[in-house]
Amino acid sequence: MKTIIEPFRIKCVEPIRMTTAAQRERILREAGFNVFLIRADDVIIDLLTDSGTGAMSSEQWAGIMRGDESYAGARSFYHFQDRIQELTGFAHVLPTHQGRASERILFELVGGPDKVVPNNAHFDTTRANAEHSGATAVDLPIPEAGDPQNQHPFKGNMDVAALERLIAEVGAKRIPLVMVTVTNNSGGGQPVSLANLRAVREVCDRHELPLFLDACRFAENAFLIKRREPGMADKDVREIVREMFALADGATISAKKDGLVNIGGLLLLRDEELLHRASNLLILTEGFVTYGGLAGRDLEAMAQGFEEVVHEDYLAYRIRSVEYLGEKLTAIGVPIVQPPGGHAIYIDAAAFCRHIPVERFPGQALVCGLYRSAGIRAVEIGSVMFGGKSTASPAGAPPKRARLELVRLAIPRRVYTQSHIDYCIEAIAEVYQRRDGLRGLRMTYEPPVLRHFTARFEEV
Ligand code: F0G
């Protein structure tokens, strides 16, 4: 098979500022060993997130000029709405400024104290918005998702038996909706199968519960269904996308991922009554229903992005470039979450740095090692992000720990070429060879909430 090439030419370039190892050493120390506190100009390859970091196409930039900035009834809104209706089959489309705005509106309407929201795995803003309403967020991933080496093709699947048990335990009345995140970001960018979505739908039907998708990475999920699910290879990705959305009563979407834009979100609904209530909340804090906190030009860019993302040449390149990074790292012995998912490779930092105990943050040590040696910015998804003392923990209780100590290398869409990825592979191989030299960290400043963003460390 020939190399799968980037299916685009580059018309506009953004220079990367190179740094020396000595400069990076100083920058890392000044930032308290926290890469969130480093300026982006001081990063050579930025793999912090795939959210809002993609490159737009010439057609999207043309759409930016065509944007209609009318307050109400803008042409750009109708263009956007038509595209989304055609893609998803949803009649009601509300634009929002990003995914968490859709989540906030949805959970203000259906959440509340005493409510329980099941999900295969909540993303942190989804969990925070459900909990902000007073509800309890429950993750129900399949057991295979807990084992980084397990090669299950759909590790994003929801544990259907566990969902049944939860409903029996708390009662359907306390569950306002069931949510499924496609692909599962917190669990390694792993896809959810159509068979699993159908099984969850069947449980929802039996208990008269609505099913919602957190569908930021719906196109990557659909392409992985085409590749991995028996009988799906000959289906058009668009057909699979329609089937996924047809199973749901609603969806929250951050367009900063598979919408191929730098800002934007959506709330999709079927229920008229919920639509009216959501529209009123939208007007209260986001904007009128035909712009939802965005400019008309943003709606044009989204309309075109949601069209381009289901092109199969794009998805073949996208999924292959992530898989390529995963395969090469596996070949040199770097432990990663298997199999490679849609938008990122997750390194198993506990296995990478066996000499660093969890309380010395092996993931953060690896993140610092990657920045020091090559200017690569990755993100720790482990006990820095999910650990620490919760306000509810009794005095003297040991700090919480994450389930897994991971480092995410998220790949921005259409931004880096294969030689950038090769550079990362070489750099990670070098850090892996010298892994015994990585040093654990102690937190010197611990903010009370979302501590990973602003915490400071020193090396031990
Ligand atoms: N749901 C999932 C599965 C996400 O990954 C994100 C964002 C959101 C919801 C929230 O969307 O940022 O537009 O408000 N994930 C980013 C990340 C931030 O880096 O994974 P948003």
Side-chain angles (χ1 to χ4, degrees):
M1 200 172 69
K2 291 202 181 68
T3 302
I4 294 174
I5 61 170
E6 287 86 5
F8 47 79
R9 293 179 298 193
I10 297 167
K11 177 174 287 194
C12 174
V13 299
E14 196 179 357
I16 292 174
R17 202 173 70 85
M18 295 300 181
T19 47
T20 64
Q23 286 168 331
R24 291 193 296 270
E25 187 63 38
R26 179 183 52 76
I27 291 162
L28 190 63
R29 285 176 187 280
E30 282 173 8
F33 299 93
N34 183 348
V35 292
F36 279 103
L37 304 178
I38 289 177
R39 287 175 186 236
D41 273 349
D42 293 330
V43 174
I44 296 177
I45 306 278
D46 204 346
L47 307 183
L48 190 66
T49 179
D50 65 317
S51 180
T53 52
M56 293 209 296
S57 68
S58 47
E59 281 303 315
Q60 286 179 290
W61 283 108
I64 293 278
M65 285 308 296
R66 275 196 301 269
D68 173 359
E69 304 302 341
S70 304
Y71 189 96
R75 184 180 62 243
S76 298
F77 171 74
Y78 292 105
H79 181 204
F80 161 75
Q81 181 181 246
D82 288 350
R83 281 282 171 89
I84 301 298
Q85 286 173 338
E86 186 198 324
L87 181 74
T88 65
F90 272 93
H92 305 311
V93 180
L94 293 177
T96 60
H97 82 275
Q98 62 183 74
R100 67 198 72 181
S102 307
E103 293 160 6
R104 205 268 306 153
I105 291 170
L106 179 65
F107 287 113
E108 187 167 334
L109 294 174
V110 306
D114 216 42
K115 296 280 166 60
V116 178
V117 181
N119 198 323
N120 49 343
H122 287 86
F123 179 68
D124 56 7
T125 60
T126 325
R127 169 179 294 277
N129 274 294
E131 290 179 346
H132 183 67
S133 77
T136 306
V138 180
D139 289 348
L140 303 173
I142 54 169
E144 289 87 342
D147 170 10
Q149 292 312 310
N150 191 302
Q151 288 281 352
H152 191 291
F154 291 103
K155 276 166 117 174
N157 283 355
M158 177 176 267
D159 185 336
V160 181
L163 176 63
E164 292 269 25
R165 282 197 300 276
L166 180 76
I167 297 170
E169 193 186 309
V170 307
K173 279 207 176 60
R174 286 179 60 197
I175 301 180
L177 52 81
V178 174
M179 209 161 194
V180 175
T181 307
V182 295
T183 57
N184 173 355
N185 184 10
S186 319
Q190 305 290 336
V192 178
S193 70
L194 263 182
N196 185 253
L197 281 176
R198 288 200 190 99
V200 173
R201 174 80 254 180
E202 193 274 320
V203 174
C204 289
D205 284 344
R206 226 168 340 101
H207 297 279
E208 293 181 30
L209 296 175
L211 171 60
F212 272 63
L213 298 181
D214 176 347
C216 309
R217 300 180 179 88
F218 70 98
E220 291 167 3
N221 197 88
F223 192 75
L224 288 166
I225 286 176
K226 183 179 166 108
R227 280 285 163 86
R228 296 182 186 175
E229 194 156 349
M232 302 306 289
D234 296 329
K235 284 218 181 178
D236 193 76
V237 166
R238 281 174 201 276
E239 254 179 89
I240 301 173
V241 168
R242 281 291 278 246
E243 276 188 58
M244 284 165 51
F245 282 111
L247 290 165
D249 299 292
T252 55
I253 304 184
S254 164
K256 299 169 73 171
K257 287 82 168 172
D258 278 350
L260 300 178
V261 290
N262 305 114
I263 197 74
L266 296 86
L267 178 57
L268 305 181
L269 297 167
R270 289 195 205 286
D271 185 81
E272 296 269 345
E273 205 251 338
L274 200 56
L275 171 75
H276 288 127
R277 291 164 63 213
S279 302
N280 287 326
L281 277 186
L282 186 79
I283 293 169
L284 191 66
T285 57
E286 291 277 303
F288 189 56
V289 292
T290 61
Y291 73 88
L294 294 166
R297 52 180 172 268
D298 297 325
L299 297 170
E300 289 287 347
M302 274 207 276
Q304 182 62 21
F306 278 103
E307 162 65 29
E308 291 174 9
V309 79
V310 289
H311 290 185
E312 301 207 6
D313 286 344
Y314 161 74
L315 284 167
Y317 138 77
R318 169 72 179 159
I319 297 300
R320 178 61 197 150
S321 50
V322 172
E323 189 182 54
Y324 173 83
L325 173 59
E327 275 173 11
K328 297 277 178 177
L329 293 182
T330 304
I332 53 181
V334 175
I336 65 164
V337 174
Q338 299 284 0
H343 65 294
I345 290 296
Y346 293 67
I347 299 178
D348 180 349
F352 193 110
C353 317
R354 290 204 184 278
H355 62 292
I356 303 178
V358 169
E359 55 276 15
R360 290 283 169 254
F361 307 121
Q364 193 67 18
L366 175 54
V367 166
C368 291
L370 293 176
Y371 180 73
R372 255 196 186 114
S373 80
I376 296 168
R377 178 156 67 170
V379 66
E380 193 258 16
I381 301 196
S383 290
V384 174
M385 194 177 271
F386 297 124
K389 282 201 170 44
S390 80
T391 42
S393 35
K400 271 194 306 168
R401 285 179 187 177
R403 203 165 45 84
L404 296 169
E405 300 297 325
L406 302 177
V407 167
R408 183 179 77 170
L409 309 167
I411 314 298
R413 292 169 182 78
R414 306 190 293 201
V415 169
Y416 294 118
T417 64
Q418 188 175 335
S419 69
H420 292 113
I421 299 294
D422 283 332
Y423 169 86
C424 293
I425 294 162
E426 288 162 15
I428 296 164
E430 207 176 271
V431 174
Y432 188 57
Q433 268 164 19
R434 294 196 260 117
R435 60 190 178 277
D436 291 344
L438 293 174
R439 292 165 66 186
L441 298 141
R442 177 187 303 122
M443 214 178 265
T444 55
Y445 166 61
E446 178 177 358
V449 286
L450 294 171
R451 62 181 191 162
H452 55 287
F453 288 122
T454 52
R456 297 183 75 87
F457 302 85
E458 66 186 16
E459 285 187 308
V460 183

